Amino acid sequence: MTQSDNFARLADLEPRREALEEIRHHLHANPELSFEEEKTAAFVADKLESWGYDVTRNVGGHGVVACLTVGTGGRSVAIRADMDALPILEKTGLPYASTVAGKMHACGHDGHTTMLLGAAEYLARTKNFNGTVTLVFQPAEEAGEISGAQAMIADGLFERFPCDAIFGLHNHPGAPEGTVLTRSGPIMAAADTAYIKVIGKGGHASRPHLTVDPVMVACSLVMALQTVVARNIDPTETAVITVGAIHGGEASNVIPDDVDLAVSIRSFSPVVRDLLQKRVCELTEQHVAAYGATAEIKYELGYPVVVNSDAETTFATEVVRELIGDDKVSTCPLIPGSEDFAYFLQHKPGSFLRLGNGVDSAVLHNPKYNFNDANLPVGAALWARLAERYLAAGGNS
């Protein structure tokens, strides 16, 4: 851990922990879903303006972009935090639990936003950099379709607020608190969905020979789809096909006309992603045809693979090691979850990190999940130090 430089240290942010907890608990108690983050965005923007940032509101919806320029350096670094909550009834029993029934911060975006606000206050107070810090507070990460990242990019994010690289992070339940996981190249999966309607011919359950039973066909298709990964994908690649929903029929003595399936399809490379789409559609059509049925397929492409650039990941890893020590930094395994930060990385080099939320933390999207407050000064110090290092005189990335 470097002690001799003048960049932000964990000890510089620890005294701010109580203030950061107050911010985080306020956000946690007042969650807003994707596309509804009006009050959250106003809360964030007001604080940034009070610290002297040039703040632009309503970027790609409720997005907030804050810029601070110090010195004459021509470089700019962007750091992103997401703000939206989830439609989940909270069951933590915390004194600052959600005050909005059926909505909660079950993915830690309240913590992500708070850490970046902590870094923002520190950077504005110390001004120990030469260039422009661009802070991106993004709405609607959980949206799935037309996400906040896509909306902000479409609204001219990178043209209106130029940057040389962009960084982000997500908390990671199961990893020790205060540890950081990094990885070059693919880190999080592309997540696509196939909605399949198996169409047969309904009839009386006692006369199946006069029908084309879509229930039987759908059950067979569920098993057949598992052969795509097992027999069409290179064993050295990673892919997942999960049939998460199947609905058909209303009564035991009635064979229905059709059955609906919802299939989650995840991959870590564009080549595998394309092959999965091709094979799922081909296999579905041909498999159901063998039973005399037909299929309607709606194949939706979700978030792409999160691909970290090598140079920026190496730089971010160096910053983390300086801040918390080698023993608290490790290589992140491939994560089959998805993240719309991928869209930012299609336009700019950068890196997406993972911050351990504790080995006993509830999993993400769980009604008993809670962001670990011990991480607030860690994340704030990480972002402050990264910005200072990236924009140091002469450049250090």
Side-chain angles (χ1 to χ4, degrees):
M1 190 183 305
T2 301
Q3 300 289 346
S4 59
D5 61 49
N6 65 340
F7 301 119
R9 299 171 300 165
L10 185 55
D12 295 323
L13 275 298
E14 280 288 359
R16 296 286 298 163
R17 177 168 172 173
E18 185 175 343
L20 293 175
E21 288 182 1
E22 183 178 344
I23 291 172
R24 211 275 295 181
H25 295 177
H26 167 79
L27 294 172
H28 189 89
N30 298 278
E32 294 178 299
L33 303 183
S34 297
F35 306 115
E36 299 177 1
E37 310 94 337
E38 182 177 359
K39 292 180 180 178
T40 302
F43 176 85
V44 167
D46 288 347
K47 285 196 173 295
L48 292 164
E49 286 176 343
S50 73
W51 297 327
Y53 283 81
D54 181 8
V55 176
T56 304
R57 306 178 187 225
N58 303 317
V59 180
H62 294 304
V64 176
V65 180
C67 300
L68 184 65
T69 299
V70 174
T72 59
R75 281 157 55 90
S76 174
V77 62
I79 305 173
R80 171 270 210 171
D82 39 17
M83 301 187 293
D84 55 328
L86 286 158
I88 296 175
L89 179 65
E90 182 164 350
K91 297 180 181 179
T92 62
L94 293 166
Y96 53 87
S98 173
T99 59
V100 186
K103 301 178 184 180
M104 75 168 287
H105 274 291
C107 204
H109 297 187
D110 52 342
H112 303 166
T113 296
T114 302
M115 290 186 294
L116 190 52
L117 285 174
E121 187 277 334
Y122 177 85
L123 290 167
R125 176 162 42 89
T126 58
K127 295 182 171 61
N128 183 33
F129 59 92
N130 183 30
T132 300
V133 171
T134 301
L135 307 180
V136 179
F137 291 86
Q138 181 206 306
E141 188 279 327
E142 302 285 1
E145 295 182 33
I146 318 297
S147 74
Q150 292 170 284
M152 294 188 84
I153 292 168
D155 201 10
L157 175 66
F158 294 122
E159 293 78 21
R160 296 164 64 187
F161 313 98
C163 66
D164 296 293
I166 186 166
F167 297 86
L169 66 71
H170 202 290
N171 72 94
H172 193 97
E177 70 177 51
T179 61
V180 175
L181 298 82
T182 68
R183 185 186 187 95
S184 291
I187 182 171
M188 296 185 69
D192 304 324
T193 305
Y195 296 98
I196 300 171
K197 182 182 289 292
V198 177
I199 303 169
K201 179 182 177 183
H204 200 287
S206 67
R207 297 177 176 83
H209 61 294
L210 300 178
T211 74
V212 176
D213 186 350
V215 175
M216 181 195 69
V217 177
C219 291
S220 178
L221 177 61
V222 169
M223 300 302 294
L225 285 170
Q226 300 309 308
T227 67
V228 173
V229 173
R231 288 296 176 267
N232 296 134
I233 303 302
D234 187 326
T236 63
E237 298 281 359
T238 300
V240 178
I241 293 179
T242 297
V243 180
I246 179 167
H247 300 285
E250 298 291 340
S252 64
N253 63 344
V254 178
I255 293 173
D257 280 326
D258 52 64
V259 171
D260 293 312
L261 292 82
V263 188
S264 179
I265 301 145
R266 296 175 184 259
S267 56
F268 289 91
S269 81
V271 172
V272 171
R273 190 184 196 189
D274 290 345
L275 179 57
L276 286 169
Q277 180 176 3
K278 177 176 181 290
R279 288 299 299 133
V280 165
C281 293
E282 287 177 347
L283 185 146
T284 296
E285 292 171 347
Q286 295 169 12
H287 191 83
V288 303
Y291 291 90
T294 59
E296 294 178 355
I297 306 169
K298 180 182 178 183
Y299 202 100
E300 295 184 351
L301 296 177
Y303 297 163
V305 182
V306 178
V307 182
N308 288 335
S309 52
D310 292 342
E312 284 67 27
T313 302
T314 297
F315 167 69
T317 303
E318 290 173 356
V319 172
V320 174
R321 291 186 187 280
E322 293 168 359
L323 182 72
I324 59 176
D326 292 347
D327 60 326
K328 292 188 177 181
V329 183
S330 61
T331 300
C332 188
L334 289 173
I335 299 171
S338 62
E339 163 64 62
D340 75 342
F341 192 81
Y343 293 112
F344 294 139
L345 294 177
Q346 290 182 337
H347 291 263
K348 294 290 180 178
S351 190
F352 195 68
L353 317 177
R354 305 286 291 197
L355 176 61
N357 202 56
V359 294
D360 296 322
S361 169
V363 298
L364 302 173
H365 294 207
N366 183 284
K368 293 186 177 181
Y369 167 86
N370 188 39
F371 184 87
N372 192 330
D373 282 336
N375 278 333
L376 294 175
V378 178
L382 167 58
W383 288 144
R385 187 180 185 89
L386 183 142
E388 290 175 338
R389 284 270 274 104
Y390 196 91
L391 300 176
N396 282 279
S397 66

